[in-house]
Amino acid sequence: MALADTERAVPGCGDSGSPFSEIIELNVGGQVYVTRHTTLIAVPDSLLWTMFNKKCPKELARDSKGRFFLDRDGFLFRYILDYLRDLNLVLPDYFPEKSRLQREADFFQLRDLAKQLSPRVSKDNSISEEIGHSDTEEGAQQCGPSGGGGAETLRVMSFGGATTRTPSLDSRKSGYITIGYRGSYTIGRDIQTDAKFRRVARITVCGKTALAKEVFGDTLNESRDPDRPPERYTSRYYLKYNFLEQAFDKLTEVGFHMVACSSTGTCAYTSNDPNEDKIWTSYTEYVFCRD
């Protein structure tokens, strides 16, 4: 059906009109997007403009359901598509993947977008980052202390040409992150034998969205809870790996420390047959804090 819909009313490349239908279905790295053909060709000479303006549908790669396939980062493509809709870049207040998004912009040959995402070098050769015309411009610089003590980090924000200074995000990044996982294990009839633990299927992340993205970056799977503002809380994120130690290392690297943990266990399966093993399930949570 998707293949038929994509090519509906497009008899061939020799027609005077576009060989593509008005609505285009895309599979970008496993993420499905539906958009207008005019959106994809909004920027002349870009890669998408070339694909959907100069080529025939039969020349482009498809997935098993007939959607046009692009082997790129499916999560970051949402920002590429947003930019193509009105040629305006809007990113969340805390966005740790600007360098990766710049790489995607370079790949899709969106020169203006890549330029907005590129780090800016100031007069003192320090690198600052500017998000774009529609977002705030953040640059870190040091301000001397007024009366002893350490230097205070400020960020510079530009609104319509006026520059104001507010405390750095670092002063607001304290908070809690809870790591949870559900596991299972089998205890044999001989209690002297070792318990047989099964693989941890998924590690969940609970806490403020901005903190979770800061710590785990692109290893955080946001597909279950997309478009959540950084100041909101979520309990629906999970990690793309299943090693607790790896999650703990990432938390430690950015200044978090464990303050509490809890675990519960229940017998999920038992039999009256004394020769059968008992299967137990457990749920464990670790609470990390950064002051």
Side-chain angles (χ1 to χ4, degrees):
M1 287 298 295
L3 179 58
D5 292 340
T6 306
E7 295 186 340
R8 183 173 49 198
V10 286
C13 297
D15 298 346
S16 58
S18 171
F20 295 93
S21 61
E22 180 184 2
I23 304 301
I24 303 291
E25 291 186 54
L26 301 171
N27 178 348
V28 184
Q31 300 295 310
V32 177
Y33 292 90
V34 181
T35 187
R36 290 183 178 275
H37 177 254
T38 53
T39 300
L40 295 175
I41 61 173
V43 178
D45 298 323
S46 66
L47 178 62
L48 292 172
W49 181 87
T50 301
M51 291 175 59
F52 293 95
N53 192 51
K54 292 296 184 180
K55 295 186 178 182
C56 296
K58 294 181 180 180
E59 296 177 332
L60 302 179
R62 309 264 192 153
D63 66 6
S64 59
K65 295 186 178 180
R67 295 178 290 237
F68 295 106
F69 178 74
L70 294 168
D71 189 15
R72 301 301 298 180
D73 191 313
F75 295 102
L76 291 179
F77 187 76
R78 57 187 289 194
Y79 300 106
I80 299 292
L81 200 57
D82 281 344
Y83 174 78
L84 291 174
R85 290 187 177 113
D86 54 12
L87 302 184
N88 194 26
L89 176 63
V90 179
L91 297 179
D93 291 337
Y94 178 77
F95 188 73
E97 298 187 276
K98 277 182 281 189
S99 60
R100 291 172 58 90
L101 182 56
Q102 181 189 358
R103 184 179 65 180
E104 296 301 300
D106 287 331
F107 174 82
F108 287 107
Q109 300 172 16
L110 299 170
R111 297 177 181 83
D112 289 343
L113 178 58
K115 184 177 179 181
Q116 293 181 45
L117 292 165
S118 63
R120 306 298 174 89
V121 180
S122 62
K123 294 181 179 179
D124 60 354
N125 292 326
S126 62
I127 296 178
S128 62
E129 292 183 346
E130 297 180 0
I131 293 179
H133 299 305
S134 62
D135 226 350
T136 59
E137 298 179 354
E138 298 183 4
Q141 68 178 44
Q142 296 296 323
C143 177
S146 57
E152 180 183 4
T153 302
L154 301 179
R155 68 170 180 171
V156 179
M157 298 190 301
S158 177
F159 296 93
T163 301
T164 59
R165 299 184 179 214
T166 61
S168 169
L169 287 174
D170 290 338
S171 63
R172 298 199 302 247
K173 288 182 182 176
S174 60
Y176 293 84
I177 288 181
T178 301
I179 301 297
Y181 79 95
R182 192 179 303 277
S184 62
Y185 54 93
T186 302
I187 298 181
R189 59 184 180 273
D190 183 1
I191 61 174
Q192 301 299 325
T193 60
D194 293 335
K196 301 176 182 177
F197 286 88
R198 296 183 180 178
R199 181 177 63 89
V200 176
R202 180 169 293 174
I203 301 174
T204 60
V205 178
C206 309
K208 186 172 287 188
T209 301
L211 286 176
K213 290 183 178 181
E214 175 194 351
V215 174
F216 298 108
D218 59 359
T219 64
L220 191 70
N221 193 321
E222 306 175 50
S223 62
R224 297 198 308 170
D225 202 2
D227 301 320
R228 181 168 289 270
E231 68 275 7
R232 295 286 297 276
Y233 289 85
T234 182
S235 60
R236 295 176 60 81
Y237 287 173
Y238 62 90
L239 301 179
K240 297 179 181 179
Y241 50 82
N242 53 13
F243 298 100
L244 280 172
E245 295 80 3
Q246 189 173 350
F248 294 167
D249 286 341
K250 285 186 173 294
L251 285 159
T252 303
E253 288 171 1
V254 293
F256 281 85
H257 60 277
M258 189 187 301
V259 294
C261 66
S262 65
S263 181
T264 60
T266 58
C267 187
Y269 172 77
T270 185
S271 172
N272 293 328
D273 186 350
N275 294 320
E276 291 193 18
D277 296 341
K278 293 183 178 181
I279 301 176
W280 290 74
T281 62
S282 65
Y283 181 72
T284 306
E285 287 186 339
Y286 302 90
V287 181
F288 288 80
C289 173
R290 182 169 64 186
D291 300 327

